Structure formats: C-alpha cells, structure tokens
Amino acid sequence: MNNRYIVAFNRDRDFYQVPLALAEIDRLELFLTDFYLSARMARSKIAAKLGIQHRFCAGLPFKRVMWSGKALRLQLVNLRFARNQAAKTLLFRELDAGLSRLAGREALRNHAGLFVY
C-alpha cells in the first residue's frame, strides 16, 4: 500500500470534499465518478446554460479524475425512463456497483487504498 487513495462516488456528493481533502495532502491517487468538468469547462457559457458548473471543484486536479462513461450513459439514458422510485433505486445500485468494481480494479493496479461511498 502506498498511502494514496482511490475515491469513487456518483454525482457531486459533498461538493467533492473527500477527494479534495486527499488531493490537498497529496494522498489522492485517483477520483472516479460519472462526470467531472475541467476548470475551463466549468467557466464556459455552455456549462452555465446547462447548469452543470457545480461539477467542478477548485483545487481538485483534473488529471486525477477518471470518468465512467457507463455510469454517465446509464443516467443520461435510463434515469429519464425510470418510472418510479424502485426503478431509480435499482439504477443507482447498478451505477454504484459499477463504480465500485472499477475503483477496486484501479486500487489493485495502483496499490492504493479505497474510499467508496
């Protein structure tokens, strides 16, 4: 173990404070999520128009972020067709499981600790 961590979660939980805190003390190996903006993209007119500028956190290095295209696709396509809360719950379980598996593989590959929530 190299005292660095892989952090994984869907969406923008806690305003990215866990990966940010680890980055600030140089312990963040990788942050896995469904979608994250670069600083430049967060300042763009399109991000403001779409209301997605909150998908960025100053201080969290973009080079340490990895997106899950599958998690993003599941939400963009399937979430809008989920007819009830039970369907949404199943979708988010699938998303969380996929991110967790990916985080586990990355933790093994990088000999890093794992922080998934």
Side-chain angles (χ1 to χ4, degrees):
M1 191 81 53
N2 68 11
N3 293 323
R4 295 177 67 85
Y5 296 89
I6 306 288
V7 178
F9 55 79
N10 192 42
R11 300 207 172 186
D12 56 343
R13 290 191 184 153
D14 302 324
F15 306 103
Y16 304 112
Q17 293 304 295
V18 172
L20 175 62
L22 290 169
E24 287 175 346
I25 60 171
D26 196 31
R27 298 282 193 225
L28 181 66
E29 181 70 31
L30 188 64
F31 169 48
L32 298 169
T33 192
D34 61 326
F35 178 72
Y36 186 77
L37 295 172
S38 67
R40 184 171 150 235
M41 288 292 293
R43 291 188 307 266
S44 72
K45 289 180 183 179
I46 189 122
K49 185 175 183 177
L50 293 172
I52 59 172
Q53 63 272 37
H54 64 281
R55 292 302 201 102
F56 166 77
C57 177
L60 181 55
F62 188 72
K63 66 182 181 185
R64 294 272 180 209
V65 179
M66 181 175 157
W67 299 7
S68 167
K70 182 178 180 182
L72 183 58
R73 278 190 310 278
L74 281 170
Q75 289 177 92
L76 291 175
V77 175
N78 297 2
L79 192 56
R80 73 175 23 181
F81 296 111
R83 296 185 183 267
N84 55 41
Q85 190 57 44
K88 289 179 183 178
T89 298
L90 287 175
L91 174 64
F92 283 113
R93 280 187 191 158
E94 183 179 350
L95 287 166
D96 289 341
L99 282 173
S100 296
R101 283 189 298 274
L102 181 57
R105 285 192 299 269
E106 288 297 320
L108 287 172
R109 191 172 70 79
N110 289 286
H111 305 285
L114 190 57
F115 195 136
V116 178
Y117 71 105

